[in-house]
């Protein structure tokens, strides 16, 4: 059919040639009938796209040779030498594509399409400055998958080709034909190209090397991956390759050859790696590797960057070995430049970096400010944190703090964050002090990097967070999806509730949700659930994210922590997507969680038991009882060591025993172990008389009493004046999941999670039929400040979930909030007893319960 159409279309122009090929009039007796192939093509999008491809190649022959239009895996292999040097570093295991080449135009938008040329995803704030080519993005491949256990490098536009080629709507000559089919085809083409441009805006990555534009000194420390100002004619490159066979291997000549070849046009460079003559040139260089001077060897390595020499190439093997041998005879400037070249070449060089860090340690006093920032950039990209440099890094940050540009501060924070390097509270606060005063002048990308480190160090810097609430909402619509995710995650991690920020995120997200990785969707849901916030567009917001979870379901088999994070965030706000929950509680998925580098057991049990309590009609998979019992015991064991002995709980328990008549009238335990915090249970008859019920294990009860601590003035002062950002052992237990998942910290803390089982008599949730008639059960909540949003009385999502489930089970929840109870710890015994008496025997509670 398509051949017939093209045949008609290629006929000589005639009086009716503009319409004849559509109606079949040219050379046909059915001149008044519409071509059936045309109707089929219009009604079938797939046929329309294929026709568009052929038509465009026929009408515009140059397009069949334009490399930038190809986004298929075959084309990626052909142009792999000009692809971005940054993406693979974030995913070292990314599979290499094959070597088969093709020359096709793919009009369908690939699912994992990434554009690396236009990195203006993070707007510059007031300045709105033009961003540079994103050829060094360090996170571009963090979550690109094709299925469980597999990876696939994204299809990208080669930067050089992208730079040379304008957008298609400008590159294509305006067609002269007014035929309906041509207009339809071109409209489809333009529409899909517009969709690709939209993808560029929201899914591109910011350039982590922007800080290098702020000072000329970085030119000697970094490898400039931009296109050469003056390219070498292809004919001269061909002449060089022809002369390789007769080359005697002179180091100077070889260096000159590599330098000149690196200046060839991008499309010519792309074919060099597979050229046998170029392989011969590389072989000559390897043979003469020790004859090169250090500057010449650096020039060869720099030339390998635009030439896109594969990371595993023998030439690079020889260069690495030679640079490691010469490192101690090189200068710090040369060492940093070579390290930057390795970064651009996506080659992992742990031995070389180890030598670099040791050299820097010995010559630390000689480090200039740009060298220090570049070193931290290399540390971050290498994901290595030299322990012996930690103290020197902090002192140098303080020394140059006022001299750093805002972009350099962002680069420093990103390097420390990527390498999991800690910062003292003091240094982090000093950085935050400066950022809070100049936030409007800071690019969003640099600001997000500071927020990452603020989150990692758990520093509660109120001025910065308040200024963030003023500056960032207006920038969110022009920020890419990963940047928005980090903003929301910082708020939830620091328990900082700002409705302006969250509302702006919720408003912007639905239109961008298709660009969310599984990780992004999970973190959005966790952040909003953790802060217990339902935005004005809650239904649109949550439905779009749940839909995205379904689309990313295959990824969760490899990254199960993301699904559990998402489902817990949904559970906090009373949303339970049963299909996803059924998937998460299946035996095979549970086994995958046990093999994860994260501790996911407590998250599984919090989810499983929450579903059991809040979803009585749920018919899907459930956790095995033996697993529930196992981790219930783990969490209760931890509670006895760390939670029940906290001073505020011990004091409340002791006073209640005295007030009610003995230890049998009050029980300090976890009514719902899967919620990871304790309760003081009291039972009353409807007439207000306490009912004894705690007769089990008196020995353990006495042991618990003996574990109490003395309430000294210092201890009470710490409780009253304690900092919100410092975490007690129980807070670590309650919040460890988010801290580890946010930071990627595999070490974490001991497993605290648990769940209820039918056989757990003393700790299982009570059944309605077991309660005594005319009985009121109180669940007293002795809370601390880490159960609430920062500086407010707004409960966090997990603690909202706990109270909701206690009420569903028939308990009357009684709050003993820290802002009332902690100050009373300093007061007289009679004042504390009076307060607790009011809380327990409040007539309103008994009336409501009755």
């Amino acid at each position: 059919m398509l051949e017939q159409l093209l045949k008609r279309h290629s006929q000589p122009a005639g009086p009716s040639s503009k319409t004849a090929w559509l109606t079949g009039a040219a050379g046909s007796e059915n001149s008044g009938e519409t071509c059936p192939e045309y109707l089929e093509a219009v009604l079938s999008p797939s046929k329309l796209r294929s026709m568009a491809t052929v038509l465009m190649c026929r009408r515009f022959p140059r397009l069949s040779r334009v490399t930038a239009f190809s986004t298929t895996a075959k084309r990626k292999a052909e142009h792999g030498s000009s692809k971005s040097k940054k993406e693979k570093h974030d995913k070292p295991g990314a599979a290499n594509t094959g070597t088969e080449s093709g020359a096709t135009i793919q009009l369908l938008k690939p699912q994992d399409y990434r554009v690396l040329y236009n990195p203006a995803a993070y707007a510059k704030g007031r300045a709105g400055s033009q961003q540079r080519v994103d050829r060094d993005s360090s996170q571009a491949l963090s979550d690109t998958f094709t299925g469980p256990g597999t990876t696939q490098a994204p299809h990208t536009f080669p930067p050089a080709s992208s730079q040379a080629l304008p957008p298609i709507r400008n590159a294509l000559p305006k067609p002269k034909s007014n035929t309906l089919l041509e207009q339809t085809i071109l409209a489809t083409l333009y529409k899909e190209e517009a969709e690709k441009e939209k993808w560029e805006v929201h899914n591109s990555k910011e350039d982590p090397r922007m800080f290098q534009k702020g000072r000329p000194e970085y030119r000697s420390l970094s490898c400039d991956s931009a296109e050469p100002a003056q390219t070498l004619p292809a004919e001269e490159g061909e002449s060089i390759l022809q002369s390789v066979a007769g080359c005697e291997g002179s180091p100077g000549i070889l260096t000159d050859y590599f330098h000149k070849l690196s200046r060839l046009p991008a499309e010519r460079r792309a074919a060099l790696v597979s050229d046998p003559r170029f392989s011969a040139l590389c072989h000559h260089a390897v043979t003469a590797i020790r004859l090169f001077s250090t500057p010449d060897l650096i020039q060869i390595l720099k030339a390998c960057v635009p030439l896109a020499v594969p990371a595993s190439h023998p030439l690079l093997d020889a260069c690495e070995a030679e640079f490691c041998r010469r490192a101690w005879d090189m200068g710090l400037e040369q060492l940093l430049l070579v390290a930057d070249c390795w970064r651009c070449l996506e080659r992992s060089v742990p031995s070389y970096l180890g030598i670099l860090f040791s050299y820097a340690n010995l010559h630390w006093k000689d480090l200039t400010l740009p060298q220090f920032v570049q070193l931290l950039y290399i540390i971050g990209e290498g994901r290595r944190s030299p322990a012996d440099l930690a103290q020197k890094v902090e002192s140098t940050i303080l020394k140059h703090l006022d001299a750093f540009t805002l972009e350099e501060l962002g680069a420093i924070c990103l390097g420390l964050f990527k390498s999991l390097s800690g910062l003292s509270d003091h240094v982090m606060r000093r950085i935050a002090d400066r950022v809070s005063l100049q936030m409007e002048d800071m690019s969003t990308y640099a600001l997000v990097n500071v927020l990452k480190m603020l989150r990692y160090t758990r520093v509660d810097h109120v001025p910065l967070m308040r200024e963030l609430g003023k500056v960032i909402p207006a920038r969110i619509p022009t920020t890419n999806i990963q940047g928005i995710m980090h903003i929301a995650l910082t708020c939830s991690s620091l328990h900082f509730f700002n409705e302006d920020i969250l509302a702006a995120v919720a408003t912007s997200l639905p239109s961008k949700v298709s660009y969310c990785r599984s990780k992004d969707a999970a973190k959005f849901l966790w952040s909003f659930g953790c802060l217990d916030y339902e935005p004005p567009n809650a239904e649109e917001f949550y439905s779009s994210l749940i839909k995205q979870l379904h689309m990313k379901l295959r990824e969760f088999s490899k990254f199960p922590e993301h699904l559990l994070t998402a489902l817990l965030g949904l559970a906090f706000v009373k949303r339970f997507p049963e299909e996803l929950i059924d998937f998460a509680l299946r035996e095979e998925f549970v086994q995958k969680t046990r093999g994860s580098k994260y501790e996911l057991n407590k998250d599984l049990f919090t989810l499983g038991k929450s579903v059991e309590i809040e979803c009585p009609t749920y018919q899907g998979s459930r956790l095995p009882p033996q697993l529930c019992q196992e981790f219930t015991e783990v969490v209760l064991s931890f509670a006895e060591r760390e939670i029940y002995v906290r001073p505020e709980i011990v004091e409340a328990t002791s006073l209640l025993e005295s007030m009610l008549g003995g230890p049998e009238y009050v029980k300090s335990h976890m009514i719902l172990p899967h919620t990871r915090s304790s309760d003081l249970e009291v039972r009353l008859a409807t007439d207000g008389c306490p009912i004894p019920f705690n007769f089990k294990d008196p020995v353990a009860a006495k042991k618990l009493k003996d574990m109490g601590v003395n309430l000294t003035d210092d201890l009470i002062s710490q409780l009253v004046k304690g900092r919100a950002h410092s975490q007690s052992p129980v807070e670590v237990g309650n919040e460890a999941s988010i801290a580890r998942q946010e930071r990627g910290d595999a070490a974490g803390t001991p497993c605290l999670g648990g769940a209820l089982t039918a056989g757990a008599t003393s700790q299982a949730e009570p059944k309605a039929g077991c309660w005594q008639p005319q009985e009121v059960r109180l669940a007293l909540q002795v809370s601390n400040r880490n159960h609430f949003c920062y500086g407010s009385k707004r409960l966090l999502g997990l603690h909202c979930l706990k109270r909701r489930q206690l009420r569903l089970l028939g308990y009357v929840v009684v709050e003993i909030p820290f802002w009332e109870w902690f100050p009373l710890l300093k007061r007289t015994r009679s004042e504390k007893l009076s307060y607790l008496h009011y809380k327990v025997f409040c007539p309103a509670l008994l009336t409501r319960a009755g």
Side-chain angles (χ1 to χ4, degrees), residues 1 35-48 51:
M1 176 202 70
C35 175
E37 291 91 339
Y38 161 70
L39 293 177
E40 184 180 3
V42 172
L43 296 175
S44 172
S46 61
K47 290 184 180 294
L48 189 61
M51 291 180 68

Side-chain angles (χ1 to χ4, degrees), residues 559-613:
F559 296 92
E561 64 273 10
H562 296 335
L563 180 58
L564 292 181
T565 298
L567 292 178
L568 280 180
L570 287 166
F572 293 163
V573 291
K574 298 183 287 186
R575 283 177 165 80
F576 297 89
E578 295 192 0
E579 290 184 8
L580 294 174
I581 291 170
D582 176 66
F583 181 84
L585 298 183
R586 291 176 189 171
E587 182 178 356
E588 55 268 29
F589 187 85
V590 172
Q591 290 303 317
K592 290 182 183 295
T593 65
R594 308 201 93 177
S596 171
K597 64 180 180 179
Y598 301 104
E599 176 50 68
L600 302 177
N601 291 310
K602 60 180 172 298
D603 295 337
L604 266 177
F605 290 107
T606 298
L607 176 65
K609 299 309 295 183
S610 294
V611 171
E612 184 176 319
I613 295 172

Side-chain angles (χ1 to χ4, degrees), residues 410-421:
I412 289 170
C413 288
L414 182 61
L416 295 173
F417 178 80
K418 285 184 175 181
S419 60
L420 299 179
S421 304

Side-chain angles (χ1 to χ4, degrees), residues 78 81 92 99 114 126 140 242 244 284 346 378 430 456 480 536 608 653-654 668 719 726 757 764:
E78 179 178 299
S81 61
T99 59
R114 302 289 177 99
R126 289 189 306 183
Q242 291 290 352
V244 167
H284 287 314
E346 305 173 359
I378 295 297
R430 289 288 306 277
Y456 181 75
N480 83 346
T653 304
S654 174
S668 178
L719 288 170
S726 62
T757 65

Side-chain angles (χ1 to χ4, degrees), residues 434-447:
R434 184 175 170 203
V435 170
S436 63
L437 296 175
Q438 298 178 279
M439 189 178 295
E440 289 191 6
D441 299 322
M442 196 172 197
S443 72
T444 306
Y445 178 70
L447 177 57

Side-chain angles (χ1 to χ4, degrees), residues 382-456:
R383 305 303 199 273
R384 290 189 57 190
S385 176
D388 53 344
L389 295 184
Q391 191 61 44
K392 292 182 177 180
V393 166
E394 290 203 357
S395 62
T396 306
I397 290 175
L398 294 176
K399 175 183 176 182
H400 297 296
L401 184 59
D402 294 331
F404 290 128
T405 67
L406 293 173
E407 297 303 311
E408 285 174 332
L409 278 179
I412 289 170
C413 288
L414 182 61
L416 295 173
F417 178 80
K418 285 184 175 181
S419 60
L420 299 179
S421 304
L423 268 184
S424 66
D425 283 6
H426 173 66
V427 175
M428 191 66 242
R429 288 184 183 281
R430 289 288 306 277
I431 293 174
D433 286 342
R434 184 175 170 203
V435 170
S436 63
L437 296 175
Q438 298 178 279
M439 189 178 295
E440 289 191 6
D441 299 322
M442 196 172 197
S443 72
T444 306
Y445 178 70
L447 177 57
V448 167
N449 291 335
V450 173
L451 294 180
K452 290 177 183 178
M453 201 60 196
L454 199 70
R455 188 175 83 226
Y456 181 75

